[in-house]
């Protein structure tokens, strides 16, 4: 009976602290800032996708005109539909143009934007979000009050849970933003690109976006918790953010067990790179081994961070 009472009290304490952390992230506009960053970047990439599709179609028309005038090619022969399928100098350009135009479909374009978010922009934003949100007590000098009132363990668990919740909310919000952006671009540019000679893949269905959405959430959780752990260990996010950004962009993937490669191993098979961002394939690692290593890494990071934090005095943190 006593154990059940203590457990219920601990769960209630975590719940109260979780609600407080999420309320703070909303009031402080951290979620709004992150969502605005995603919307701005995705808008830029959506416009870039239109420019790429327009350039691909223009290139196709220019090459076809040259082949027709100087080589006497018919269009079907130039794309490999003639008697000799190997004589197809325009085939790759033709396929690339069709895929580029497919990237302007609303759902396919939104998935392409989520893939950019998953592999490029999201890790930086989520790491920053985790580092800033997790160190607000250090920033405002409220650690000792919250430790006395809520306890170290509920405070730590709620902090991690609030980041997981925030990542899920931000990723779903990013998907909604992406659908709104790509639908707007699709309607705005409809009829401006000549697709008469193209074979454009059909748009994806909305359920087809779920694997990309899931992997984006998983990647965001990993980097948000990484940001939380490193910032808590070093006590200030400004110490770790420049190092992480420089390392993420400048340091190549060192081995196949690099966390970035392990995340790619899990995410890459579930992505459909059609007419958009196409990252290089990861180094081969069994998917189950990659998942276990990442889970072990996250558990290890959290355990070390909690152990170090528990040894610190709340009055000097």
């Amino acid at each position: 009976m006593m154990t059940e009472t203590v457990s219920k009290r601990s769960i209630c304490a975590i719940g109260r602290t979780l609600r407080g952390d999420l309320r703070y992230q909303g009031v402080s506009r951290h979620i709004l800032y992150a969502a605005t960053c995603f919307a701005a970047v995705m808008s830029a990439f959506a416009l870039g996708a239109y420019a790429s599709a327009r350039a691909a179609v223009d290139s196709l028309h220019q090459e076809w005109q040259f082949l027709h005038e100087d080589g006497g090619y018919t269009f079907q022969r130039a794309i490999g539909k003639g008697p000799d399928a190997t004589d197809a100098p325009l085939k790759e350009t033709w396929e690339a143009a069709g895929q580029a135009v497919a990237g302007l479909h609303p759902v396919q374009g939104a998935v392409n934007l989520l893939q950019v978010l998953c592999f490029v922009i999201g890790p930086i934003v989520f790491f920053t979000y985790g580092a800033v949100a997790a160190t607000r007590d250090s920033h405002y000098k409220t650690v000792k009050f919250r430790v006395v009132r809520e306890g170290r363990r509920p405070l730590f668990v709620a902090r991690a849970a609030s980041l997981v919740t925030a990542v899920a909310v931000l990723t779903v919000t990013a998907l909604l933003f992406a659908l709104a952006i790509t639908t707007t671009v699709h309607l705005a540019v409809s009829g401006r690109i000549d697709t008469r000679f193209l074979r454009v893949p059909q748009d994806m269905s909305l359920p087809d976006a779920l694997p990309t959405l899931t992997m984006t959430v998983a990647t965001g959780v990993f980097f948000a918790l990484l940001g939380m752990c490193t910032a808590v260990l070093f006590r200030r996010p400004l110490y770790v953010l420049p190092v992480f950004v420089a390392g993420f962009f400048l340091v190549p993937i060192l081995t196949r067990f690099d966390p970035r490669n392990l995340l790619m191993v899990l995410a890459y098979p579930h992505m459909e790179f059609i007419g958009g961002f196409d990252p290089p394939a990861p180094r081969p690692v069994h998917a189950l081994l990659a998942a276990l290593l990442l889970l072990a890494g996250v558990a290890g990071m959290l355990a070390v961070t909690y152990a170090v934090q528990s040894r610190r005095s709340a009055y000097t943190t």
Side-chain angles (χ1 to χ4, degrees), residues 57-75 77-78 89-90 93:
V57 174
D58 290 344
S59 177
L60 174 67
H61 289 165
Q62 291 172 4
E63 291 186 31
W64 153 239
Q65 184 177 4
F66 173 79
L67 288 171
H68 179 65
E69 293 177 355
D70 290 2
Y73 278 83
T74 63
F75 187 79
R77 176 189 170 189
L90 204 60
T93 305

Side-chain angles (χ1 to χ4, degrees), residues 82-104:
D84 185 3
T86 60
D87 184 19
L90 204 60
K91 183 177 182 180
E92 291 185 2
T93 305
W94 175 67
E95 292 177 345
Q99 291 178 346
V101 174
L104 299 179

